[in-house]
Amino acid sequence: MTIDFEKCGGLAPAIIQDSETRRVLMLGYMNEESLAKTQETGLVTFFSRSRQTLWTKGETSGNYLHVVDIKCDCDHDTLLVTARPDGPTCHTGTDTCWGETNEANPLLFMSELQDFIEKRHEEMPEGSYTTSLFKDGINRIAQKVGEEALETVIEATNGTKERIIYEGADMLYHLIVLLTSKGLRIEDLATELRQRHDPNWHKH
């Protein structure tokens, strides 16, 4: 990673993004020294233009930004820093400097869950239920999807909302295992649904 600080007049804009929610938290500026300190300590450190000194975000409030990754853009004059915030990022007490609530979309976890299931498929650790499903083969996995779908239907007609959620979650989990075994992703289903949402879509 190479930043052209000379091109930037000594300071490069640094966009801070939450590594989990993907929401932009704030914008600050870094010089070579503050970038080096950020990389060394793992805590986002800026250069204060008003005080003309380095400052680590959270050094007074305790709301540190823990670095996950740092990238530079195609022009080598802007930084994108993904980080984990300890608390509200803005000095006003809000989650972001735009007054937004920094909450993760629960749907993002579906991709994270499949990443975990794919890792299970690659490593096949002993004692894992997911491993046992892969060892039992596609027919057993498909059967489990059907069983969990039926239990979801039963709860939908005679159960509670809590039980529908419970059985529906079981069904989705086993469906993701099935997709993984076939080399597919949950995103493939989302893409199909998005295509169907197009008014010009026609059934295959």
Side-chain angles (χ1 to χ4, degrees):
M1 181 181 67
T2 303
I3 294 294
D4 190 348
F5 284 103
E6 184 176 342
K7 172 185 175 183
C8 305
L11 293 177
I15 301 165
I16 313 301
Q17 180 185 44
D18 189 300
S19 60
E20 180 180 352
T21 68
R22 318 311 290 181
R23 190 174 292 278
V24 174
L25 301 176
M26 67 173 294
L27 171 69
Y29 291 86
M30 292 185 180
N31 61 8
E32 287 190 71
E33 186 180 1
S34 64
L35 175 58
K37 185 174 181 180
T38 296
Q39 294 171 315
E40 177 186 350
T41 64
L43 299 175
V44 174
T45 299
F46 298 108
F47 180 82
S48 171
R49 292 171 297 169
S50 59
R51 292 182 285 120
Q52 291 292 296
T53 186
L54 301 188
W55 65 282
T56 299
K57 184 71 179 74
E59 60 190 6
T60 55
S61 66
N63 297 329
Y64 294 100
L65 293 168
H66 300 269
V67 176
V68 174
D69 189 33
I70 304 176
K71 294 183 176 71
C72 64
D73 72 337
C74 56
D75 291 324
H76 302 283
D77 58 9
T78 303
L79 291 161
L80 175 63
V81 181
T82 52
R84 292 180 290 101
D86 277 338
T89 298
C90 186
H91 70 281
T92 63
T94 58
D95 289 347
T96 79
C97 288
W98 290 269
E100 300 170 309
T101 300
N102 185 29
E103 293 180 353
N105 183 339
L107 289 176
L108 294 176
F109 177 71
M110 302 300 286
S111 293
E112 184 179 335
L113 175 61
Q114 183 153 15
D115 291 342
F116 178 81
I117 290 173
E118 286 182 344
K119 188 175 181 181
R120 281 284 195 262
H121 194 208
E122 294 170 2
E123 300 176 352
M124 299 290 278
E126 292 297 329
S128 163
Y129 174 67
T130 306
T131 296
S132 70
L133 286 173
F134 286 127
K135 285 184 176 180
D136 288 342
I138 189 66
N139 290 343
R140 176 56 180 158
I141 297 171
Q143 179 185 356
K144 284 297 295 181
V145 174
E147 290 174 359
E148 299 300 343
L150 178 58
E151 290 180 9
T152 302
V153 170
I154 292 172
E155 293 300 337
T157 55
N158 296 295
T160 64
K161 291 181 179 179
E162 288 77 13
R163 291 301 302 175
I164 294 173
I165 292 173
Y166 184 89
E167 297 299 345
D170 277 350
M171 179 183 68
L172 284 175
Y173 160 77
H174 287 91
L175 176 60
I176 293 176
V177 173
L178 178 66
L179 291 171
T180 301
S181 70
K182 302 297 288 185
L184 297 169
R185 293 279 307 184
I186 191 69
E187 290 90 347
D188 294 322
L189 302 189
T191 298
E192 173 69 17
L193 290 172
R194 175 181 287 178
Q195 291 172 347
R196 294 185 189 186
H197 191 62
D198 189 323
N200 297 317
W201 179 84
H202 296 287
K203 186 175 181 180
H204 302 308

